[in-house]
Amino acid sequence: MEPLIISVAVTGGEHGREATPHLPITPEEIARSAHEAYEAGAAIVHVHVRDDDGVPGHFLERYRFVMDYLGERCDMIVNLTTDPGGIVEGDARFRSLDLSPELATLDAGTMQAPTGDRIVEGSLPFLRRLAGRMLETGTKPELEIFHSGMIRTCLQLAEEGLLEPPLYFQFVLGAAGYAPGIPGELLGLLGQIPPRSPWSVAGIGRASVAMTMMGIMLGGHVRVGLEDQVYYRRGELATSNAQLVARAVRLAGEFGRPVAGPGEARELLGLVDGPPAR
Ligand code: ZN
């Protein structure tokens, strides 16, 4: 079977230390946690950064610290967010692309934040500008899909020439207010993406283990990490991102799927330029 790409979402832009004391907050903690996750088997790290109080935002020097820290130690693929959370809105969300990351997220529609008190813009004109900016910076979009209508939006952007094949989909299932993290939902979504598109699935909260197993079993890829789940199992907090990655590696082993290193992941996702020059 095709090697499994494990993405790790190490901190996110929503919950803070009130949710778990194990959440990395400072650039040093985020970088170290990402590197530990790499050593455990993750090929891609999805990065948000925060200020010292844990408030998320686009702090370019902090992104750069994380990218440099990893670049000095490994060839892990860095996937920066374009929805940092906090108060960053509108086209200010594109600022992380100034660093020309290999991958960045594109939430393919208007959404409400998990807390319900913030609207995340995703109108077509906004998404056209976002996708266009990614073409300029040579960044491959990771298409964040929270429900099936978002797939149709991506297909439209591809038709307009704003997304280049292969389209890379990340299904985020189980978030409050969006598609649930159940097998039937994932199967339905898979029927709607173009053939041979690489895809990955992230199950939020208690949907995580089931969605990880589905992703492994169906030949997709998976995302785990403290952005998506703070519990390892019911009543027991996860102690690190690496712990969650290690579980995905063990599950892949049971299904007979090898785990992709960053080089293999680049090939599978069509990241033809390789790691950025330093
Ligand atoms: Zn994120």
Side-chain angles (χ1 to χ4, degrees):
M1 275 181 110
E2 193 171 88
L4 175 77
I5 303 171
I6 301 175
S7 287
V8 62
V10 290
T11 183
E14 300 296 335
H15 49 263
R17 282 269 165 81
E18 77 290 347
T20 173
H22 305 295
L23 195 73
I25 299 284
T26 67
E28 291 81 5
E29 289 168 350
I30 289 168
R32 209 176 316 124
S33 187
H35 189 250
E36 285 169 15
Y38 162 80
E39 291 192 314
I44 301 175
V45 57
H46 170 54
V47 177
H48 294 242
V49 289
R50 298 159 178 268
D51 69 14
D52 289 341
D53 296 324
V55 179
H58 271 335
F59 306 110
L60 294 198
E61 69 288 356
R62 292 181 175 228
Y63 287 126
R64 197 171 286 125
F65 176 90
V66 174
M67 294 166 92
D68 288 348
Y69 181 100
L70 292 171
E72 285 162 15
R73 290 164 179 79
C74 62
D75 58 345
M76 195 176 204
I77 299 168
V78 174
N79 171 3
L80 297 186
T81 186
T82 60
D83 177 32
I87 56 161
V88 183
E89 291 183 339
D91 291 13
R93 283 173 46 196
F94 304 172
R95 280 201 66 207
S96 52
L97 299 172
D98 292 353
L99 298 172
S100 299
E102 281 188 277
L103 273 179
T105 53
L106 185 152
D107 295 313
T110 297
M111 300 175 54
Q112 59 176 18
T115 42
D117 57 2
R118 184 171 67 90
I119 296 297
V120 181
E121 186 178 356
S123 66
L124 259 180
F126 176 86
L127 294 177
R128 287 187 182 113
R129 293 196 302 279
L130 176 55
R133 179 69 185 135
M134 289 197 191
L135 286 175
E136 285 170 8
T137 59
T139 299
K140 188 168 188 71
E142 182 185 83
L143 306 167
E144 310 298 301
I145 304 297
F146 289 73
H147 60 72
S148 62
M150 290 180 162
I151 296 175
R152 301 180 63 175
T153 298
C154 292
L155 297 181
Q156 181 175 338
L157 293 171
E159 209 154 281
E160 295 176 11
L162 289 165
L163 298 177
E164 290 176 336
L167 303 187
Y168 167 40
F169 295 94
Q170 179 75 260
F171 301 112
V172 184
L173 302 183
Y178 294 95
I182 56 175
E185 190 71 36
L186 179 61
L187 294 173
L189 293 167
L190 290 176
Q192 298 171 57
I193 63 174
R196 291 178 298 282
S197 301
W199 61 271
S200 176
V201 62
I204 302 300
R206 61 186 169 195
S208 177
V209 177
M211 290 301 101
T212 296
M213 289 166 104
M214 291 290 288
I216 293 168
M217 192 168 71
L218 295 170
H221 306 286
V222 301
R223 180 175 108 174
V224 297
L226 295 173
E227 173 171 350
D228 297 338
Q229 70 256 85
V230 297
Y231 286 95
Y232 187 78
R233 58 171 71 88
R234 191 183 174 92
E236 181 187 327
L237 288 173
T239 55
S240 69
N241 283 292
Q243 181 194 26
L244 295 165
V245 171
R247 174 164 62 189
V249 170
R250 284 198 303 279
L251 289 170
E254 294 298 323
F255 282 93
R257 275 193 78 180
V259 173
E264 288 167 301
R266 285 187 174 91
E267 271 174 44
L268 291 166
L269 301 180
L271 298 173
V272 284
D273 295 337
R278 285 171 199 286

